[in-house]
Amino acid sequence: MGRIKKKGESGNAKNYITRTHAVKKLQISLPDFRKLCIWKGIFPREPRNKRKVSKSVTSSTTFYYAKDIQYLLHEPLLQKFREQKVLEKKISRALGRGDLGDANRLEKNASRPEKTGKPRYTLDHVIRERYPTFVDALRDLDDCLSMLFLFANLPSTSTVPAKMIARCERLTLEFQHYLIVSQSLRKSFLSIKGIYYQANIQGEDILWLVPYKFNQRVVGDVDFRIMGTFIEFYMTLLGFINFRLYTSVGLKYPPKFDQTKDDEAGELGAFKLEGNLVTGSDEAPKQLTNDEEEAGPDPKTQAEVNKLIRQMRETDVDGDRVETEADQDAATDAIDKFEPAAPGGDVLPQPNHSGNEPESLFANCTFYLSRETPRQPLEFILRSFGCKRVGWDATLGEGAYTTDERNPAITHQIVDRPVIQATTQEEGNAEDNQTSQKLAPNQRMPGRVYVQPQWVWDSINEGEMQRPDLYAPGAQLPPHLSPFVQNTQGAYDPTIPLEEQQTEGEALEDSEEEVEEEEAEADEDDDLAMKKIGSGAEGMDVALGSDEDGDDDAFGGFSDDEKADGAEELDDDDQAAELQYQRELEAELTGKPIKQAALNPQTKAKAEARKQLAKQAKEEAEDIERAKGMLSKKKRKLFEQMQYTNSKKSAEDQKLRAKRRKLEKQKAKGKA
């Protein structure tokens, strides 16, 4: 006889456990349980059948795997949470007794971060458990960087302490320094949410979002306790990753931090890197020229070549070398060997630097950032792509290569203000209406390239410097496209001319709209001309005088012939309407279709093309319906979902093309 199974000892009832039972089993509070689950990577599970797990289950019941909770029983952090709970009870008991001295003593002994700055616990062992290899940590770095950059830009509040913000900002700046030294940054994109960056670290593509440097407004509907738990974990994770990255390139971690420069908005300039790589990276890469000694031959090699030349000169006049019989015998017995006359004699000197690499895109440039441009992202991108000389105005902070806008070494200046015709005072002190400059308004330094900030982003995404005239101050910028989106066939592409990507139906509609607009403009011109003629006729006075030598050119009203021509035009319109009415009566009496008047050949061709498109669309729809009839019900639903998605995308693309068509027409009218 088999053993009787008891209820709740096997199956789903044993595999799952509710959150209430898990908290009771671990003997911790609910906030500590949430922290523990976030740090250990344990998340709720949804059983297939909740009724089999528990009959008293509701829709809001949260389940976890029983094995996960059993795994948490051996977590060292549990003991820390319990010790903290016991300490809080002792303090509250002492306060209840009125023993303030004992309560103060217990509170001083407590390792609270907001009091002493010492951590109560560390998450180092959690990082090592969750990420066995360094590649695993890099794959989980996207959310970590986005959260830390977000908190680095938040204002200090009761829920977000200042120490957390400072720690996030320092970790992110250290990470940016590694990207600059290793030149790992690949792409960037300006969006409404913020600035997207993509870097390639040890073969892993990492994408994160950095908010703009605006004043952030902290709202009350965000639970910063949960986000603070993630931040605490991510700060430890990025500290581990920064240490590994710095040591992999020969840098000392953590780098030296100058608090004075940081207080003066130094940011990246507040850190000083130390290590073997820094000494070599600070020196500019040497390029080979015709005057350098490195391009010349090796002295030993040259001596060997001169020796061979002297031996060749000792030959006979006919150029035949005198050989002895011993030499001939030795030559027949030995094996031919092809060896260089001197070591390194057949090795050509190679240049040790190439300026065509994307990582050294701005290596030969010196930039100056105007005060209205975003300094932080521009400095980071320019330095990541090889530029070592970035200057800006002194009001933007410390760490600039130069603060003199008139420095002749500057090759590119980034400006983001419209071209304004500013008024100059009589004393000669020119100052525009936005901000004072060292240069006069709209004054340009000769030999310097002036571009807008988008030029930097488009250049690094394309891998080469773009044309500066397209990004000149005041110019209409080209579309800024995301480098992370791949263009699909049939989708709207702003870089392609509109005629190459619009459908035949859209082309017909566009041509019809153009014809209608031309006709409307012609009618308006005719009406204006008639109004001008009428107003001129009303305002003129016919000269009736006694003077016999009156002007012959004076207007004397419309002649009889002109009046007759106008009457004939009106009669023609009336006759055309009468003829059309006569045709309709004849067709009604005889029962035959109405004879249509002769159409314009262009209009007729468009009508035929429209009919052909409608017929073709109808045939395609019928073919699709026949094909759908051969599918199963499941595949038919899937196919209909695909059709819905494709039609939705095509409708969005059509709206974008219509918008672009309208803008191009307005632009053409403005030029005309």
Side-chain angles (χ1 to χ4, degrees):
M1 183 176 177
R3 187 176 180 182
I4 300 175
K5 293 183 179 180
K6 293 184 179 180
K7 187 177 181 181
E9 291 186 357
S10 62
N12 289 332
K14 186 179 180 181
N15 295 335
Y16 294 93
I17 185 173
T18 62
R19 188 181 66 178
T20 306
H21 292 166
V23 171
K24 290 182 179 179
K25 188 173 185 179
L26 296 175
Q27 297 181 4
I28 56 176
S29 61
L30 184 59
D32 291 341
F33 177 74
R34 289 199 189 102
K35 281 185 179 182
L36 203 58
C37 290
I38 290 173
W39 292 339
K40 299 292 288 186
I42 295 173
F43 49 90
R45 306 286 181 166
E46 187 71 19
R48 293 184 178 179
N49 193 344
K50 290 185 177 181
R51 289 295 177 185
K52 289 185 178 180
V53 178
S54 176
K55 287 186 177 181
S56 61
V57 67
T58 60
S59 59
S60 61
T61 305
T62 306
F63 290 94
Y64 291 88
Y65 277 150
K67 289 186 177 180
D68 291 342
I69 304 303
Q70 190 71 23
Y71 171 68
L72 290 179
L73 285 172
H74 307 284
E75 176 58 40
L77 291 174
L78 275 178
Q79 186 62 28
K80 296 290 184 180
F81 290 155
R82 291 166 183 165
E83 291 177 358
Q84 183 65 25
K85 186 178 180 180
V86 170
L87 182 62
E88 290 176 356
K89 285 185 177 180
K90 288 182 179 180
I91 294 174
S92 62
R93 194 178 298 114
L95 291 174
R97 293 195 307 264
D99 192 354
L100 298 179
D102 193 13
N104 291 332
R105 180 183 59 81
L106 292 172
E107 188 175 3
K108 288 180 181 179
N109 294 335
S111 56
R112 293 190 174 183
E114 59 271 13
K115 294 294 182 182
T116 60
K118 299 179 181 178
R120 290 172 298 188
Y121 45 79
T122 59
L123 303 178
D124 299 348
H125 67 285
V126 179
I127 300 296
R128 287 192 289 265
E129 288 177 5
R130 289 192 60 178
Y131 306 106
T133 62
F134 185 61
V135 177
D136 296 332
L138 291 178
R139 290 172 181 169
D140 201 16
L141 194 57
D142 299 353
D143 295 336
C144 172
L145 290 175
S146 299
M147 287 285 289
L148 291 178
F149 274 101
L150 172 63
F151 269 72
N153 292 326
L154 288 180
S156 176
T157 59
S158 58
T159 55
V160 185
K163 288 185 178 180
M164 180 184 292
I165 296 172
R167 177 64 175 162
C168 292
E169 185 177 4
R170 184 168 178 175
L171 288 171
T172 52
L173 291 175
E174 290 173 356
F175 181 74
Q176 286 183 348
H177 266 295
Y178 167 77
L179 296 179
I180 292 171
V181 172
S182 62
Q183 295 182 339
S184 302
L185 191 65
R186 293 293 177 265
K187 298 177 182 179
S188 181
F189 175 63
L190 298 168
S191 69
I192 299 176
K193 297 180 180 178
I195 305 176
Y196 285 92
Y197 296 97
Q198 186 184 45
N200 186 276
I201 301 176
Q202 298 186 6
E204 295 292 333
D205 289 333
I206 300 169
L207 179 68
W208 71 96
L209 176 65
V210 178
Y212 293 111
K213 290 284 186 178
F214 296 146
N215 290 330
Q216 303 291 336
R217 184 172 59 89
V218 179
V219 296
D221 56 350
V222 178
D223 192 356
F224 282 96
R225 293 179 301 173
I226 302 297
M227 298 181 70
T229 304
F230 278 100
I231 287 295
E232 193 172 354
F233 176 77
Y234 285 149
M235 285 192 298
T236 309
L237 174 62
L238 189 57
F240 270 81
I241 292 176
N242 285 347
F243 174 78
R244 180 67 179 270
L245 294 176
Y246 271 62
T247 53
S248 64
V249 295
L251 295 177
K252 182 180 178 181
Y253 187 82
K256 285 187 176 180
F257 179 69
D258 191 348
Q259 186 64 41
T260 305
K261 290 185 178 180
D262 186 66
D263 295 339
E264 296 175 355
E267 297 195 356
L268 289 173
F271 292 86
K272 184 179 179 181
L273 304 182
E274 295 179 346
N276 299 329
L277 186 63
V278 178
T279 57
S281 62
D282 290 341
E283 299 177 359
K286 297 180 180 179
Q287 297 183 2
L288 295 179
T289 60
N290 295 330
D291 299 333
E292 291 185 1
E293 297 180 356
E294 295 182 3
D298 188 15
K300 295 182 180 179
T301 305
Q302 187 64 34
E304 294 292 338
V305 172
N306 295 336
K307 183 178 179 181
L308 289 175
I309 292 174
R310 286 194 302 269
Q311 292 178 0
M312 292 172 64
R313 288 176 180 174
E314 294 175 358
T315 56
D316 294 338
V317 178
D318 298 335
D320 298 332
R321 186 179 180 82
V322 179
E323 297 180 355
T324 60
E325 296 180 358
D327 295 338
Q328 294 178 356
D329 296 339
T332 55
D333 296 339
I335 301 175
D336 295 337
K337 294 181 180 181
F338 300 94
E339 296 179 354
D346 58 347
V347 178
L348 296 176
Q350 300 293 332
N352 58 359
H353 176 70
S354 175
N356 297 327
E357 298 177 358
E359 293 81 4
S360 59
L361 187 63
F362 305 123
N364 300 325
C365 302
T366 303
F367 285 87
Y368 185 86
L369 310 180
S370 298
R371 64 175 63 188
E372 70 275 3
T373 57
R375 174 210 144 189
Q376 291 82 5
L378 284 173
E379 180 191 4
F380 170 57
I381 290 177
L382 292 174
R383 293 181 62 183
S384 298
F385 282 86
C387 182
K388 297 180 180 179
R389 299 171 296 275
V390 183
W392 54 77
D393 195 272
T395 57
L396 296 180
E398 293 291 329
Y401 167 73
T402 179
T403 57
D404 184 12
E405 192 175 357
R406 295 179 177 271
N407 194 326
I410 299 172
T411 59
H412 294 73
Q413 183 167 348
I414 302 176
V415 296
D416 195 15
R417 67 178 65 193
V419 180
I420 299 174
Q421 299 296 334
T423 59
T424 58
Q425 300 176 358
E426 295 180 357
E427 293 80 10
N429 296 329
E431 188 174 72
D432 63 19
N433 56 0
Q434 289 188 357
T435 178
S436 60
Q437 290 184 349
K438 297 178 182 179
L439 295 175
N442 298 331
Q443 183 180 351
R444 297 289 183 262
M445 294 290 294
R448 185 179 299 181
V449 179
Y450 288 83
V451 290
Q452 298 187 44
Q454 185 181 329
W455 177 82
V456 177
W457 272 268
D458 290 349
S459 298
I460 65 172
N461 291 336
E462 295 295 333
E464 60 182 3
M465 291 188 183
Q466 301 297 301
R467 290 172 48 188
D469 57 316
L470 299 178
Y471 301 86
Q476 186 176 0
L477 296 173
H480 180 57
L481 305 178
S482 174
F484 314 117
V485 178
Q486 296 181 354
N487 294 328
T488 57
Q489 187 177 3
Y492 172 72
D493 189 357
T495 59
I496 301 177
L498 192 60
E499 292 78 10
E500 297 181 6
Q501 53 182 332
Q502 64 182 358
T503 59
E504 296 181 6
E506 292 178 359
L508 286 174
E509 292 178 1
D510 186 19
S511 60
E512 290 177 0
E513 289 178 359
E514 289 179 356
V515 172
E516 291 176 359
E517 289 178 358
E518 290 176 359
E519 293 177 355
E521 289 178 358
D523 295 339
E524 290 178 0
D525 294 340
D526 294 340
D527 295 341
L528 289 173
M530 293 298 294
K531 288 180 180 178
K532 288 180 180 178
I533 293 172
S535 62
E538 293 175 359
M540 288 185 180
D541 295 331
V542 179
L544 300 174
S546 58
D547 195 359
E548 294 179 357
D549 299 333
D551 297 335
D552 296 335
D553 297 335
F555 180 75
F558 290 105
S559 64
D560 296 337
D561 296 336
E562 292 174 349
K563 291 180 180 179
D565 293 339
E568 287 177 1
E569 291 178 0
L570 295 175
D571 293 341
D572 292 340
D573 295 339
D574 295 339
Q575 288 177 3
E578 290 178 0
L579 288 174
Q580 181 66 18
Y581 181 66
Q582 186 69 24
R583 291 193 196 97
E584 292 177 357
L585 289 176
E586 290 177 359
E588 186 177 356
L589 290 173
T590 58
K592 295 180 180 180
I594 302 172
K595 296 180 181 180
Q596 299 291 338
L599 297 175
N600 189 9
Q602 187 177 4
T603 307
K604 187 177 180 180
K606 289 180 181 179
E608 291 178 357
R610 195 182 298 106
K611 289 181 181 179
Q612 186 68 21
L613 285 175
K615 184 179 178 181
Q616 184 179 358
K618 186 178 180 181
E619 291 177 357
E620 290 179 356
E622 291 176 355
D623 294 341
I624 291 174
E625 289 296 328
R626 284 194 296 269
K628 284 170 63 177
M630 304 297 293
L631 298 175
S632 62
K633 185 177 180 181
K634 183 178 180 180
K635 292 183 178 180
R636 191 184 304 117
K637 288 184 178 180
L638 180 61
F639 181 73
E640 289 175 354
Q641 292 177 357
M642 293 169 59
Q643 277 187 316
Y644 173 77
T645 304
N646 294 336
S647 62
K648 190 176 180 181
K649 289 181 179 179
S650 61
E652 293 176 356
D653 295 338
Q654 187 175 359
K655 287 182 181 179
L656 292 173
R657 286 193 291 267
K659 185 178 179 181
R660 179 178 175 182
R661 191 179 299 111
K662 184 178 179 181
L663 292 173
E664 288 181 354
K665 288 180 181 179
Q666 292 177 357
K667 188 176 180 180
K669 289 181 181 179
K671 288 183 178 179

